[in-house]
Amino acid sequence: MVVDLGEIREANRDVQSRFVLDAVLANPHHLAILQDARVRALPQPFLMAGSVYKAVWNALTGRAPDYGVNDYDLAYFDPADLSAAREVKVQAEIGRAFAQSPIIVEACNQARVHIWFNAVFGTQRQALSSSFQAVEHFASRTHAIGLYLDKSGQPSLHAPFGFEDLLSLHVRPAPDLSGADGWNAKCDEQSRLWPELRFERVGLALSGKMKS
């Protein structure tokens, strides 16, 4: 499919949302994950991160929907049990649910992210209030998008910053980025897979095709 990027960028939010949702759903694993009974039993199940925004990149650059996807990040929100042991148990249950599938699904309790994140990066982030809020703290607004099922069971997007950054093919770090080395390494990796995109590394000049 040939995509007129300029036309999509100039379209209104409703048109952009439809395009993005179609791109995300073109990867059938997204809906299969969210519709699984064990996933739906989790509080606030929400697919986010790489598999979601990469599906849009792939639609914009003419690649298969699951190109470059290593795993599927499944968020949920359980403030009643912030223990690592409970999160490990949930991950094991989700792992068994998709054991016969060709994909890897990683489940993470967003209610406890601040605990390990602050310990690793030395930050003072406050506890999140929902699964959806997680994308507001991603390393780039380009990544700030997720998929969930609404109350009627229909797939819906959560994009708190809109779609401008995602559709720009220009990946910029968030102002409060933590972990510059990890960010730059991800830019290197992703630029090899999507050379059409421009990646902005921390501490270095903007590069269209990233150099190692």
Side-chain angles (χ1 to χ4, degrees):
M1 179 179 67
V2 178
V3 175
D4 188 331
L5 182 55
E7 182 177 331
I8 294 171
R9 286 174 176 169
E10 294 174 2
N12 61 43
R13 184 182 172 102
D14 287 343
V15 172
Q16 291 180 345
S17 180
R18 184 70 254 175
F19 171 81
V20 172
L21 182 59
D22 286 346
V24 173
L25 294 180
N27 182 341
H29 295 306
H30 286 142
L31 205 52
I33 292 169
L34 290 174
Q35 290 179 334
D36 183 89
R38 287 150 292 194
V39 171
R40 299 192 71 171
L42 294 172
Q44 292 187 19
F46 181 56
L47 277 173
M48 60 185 194
S51 73
V52 180
Y53 66 76
K54 288 175 182 178
V56 181
W57 288 355
N58 290 334
L60 292 171
T61 59
R63 293 180 169 88
D66 61 349
Y67 171 81
V69 174
N70 299 317
D71 53 33
Y72 293 77
D73 291 292
L74 175 64
Y76 65 97
F77 193 79
D78 182 11
D81 191 338
L82 301 181
S83 68
R86 173 58 183 166
E87 189 174 53
V88 169
K89 182 178 180 180
V90 170
Q91 174 57 53
E93 292 170 350
I94 296 301
R96 287 192 294 271
F98 295 96
Q100 303 304 313
S101 173
I103 63 174
I104 298 172
V105 182
E106 298 284 350
C108 180
N109 183 7
Q110 297 303 304
R112 68 177 303 273
V113 165
H114 65 288
I115 299 173
W116 61 260
F117 192 93
N118 289 338
V120 171
F121 294 104
T123 56
Q124 297 296 322
R125 290 195 175 182
Q126 300 299 307
L128 300 178
S129 60
S130 70
S131 291
F132 301 143
Q133 193 182 13
V135 297
E136 298 175 17
H137 299 277
F138 275 8
S140 173
R141 287 191 172 188
T142 302
H143 303 160
I145 182 173
L147 181 73
Y148 67 102
L149 300 183
D150 65 19
K151 291 181 179 179
S152 64
Q154 296 302 305
S156 300
L157 296 172
H158 178 64
F161 305 117
F163 305 107
E164 181 179 353
D165 285 89
L166 178 61
L167 297 174
S168 72
L169 298 183
H170 182 178
V171 185
R172 305 174 181 88
D176 60 346
L177 175 74
S178 299
D181 289 344
W183 168 263
N184 289 339
K186 178 177 284 189
C187 287
D188 282 339
E189 175 188 358
Q190 293 186 341
S191 66
R192 288 190 286 269
L193 295 172
W194 292 275
E196 302 90 343
L197 275 66
R198 293 182 295 158
F199 292 87
E200 192 169 334
R201 294 178 65 181
V202 176
L204 297 175
L206 179 65
S207 172
K209 295 183 179 180
M210 294 299 301
K211 298 178 182 179
S212 54

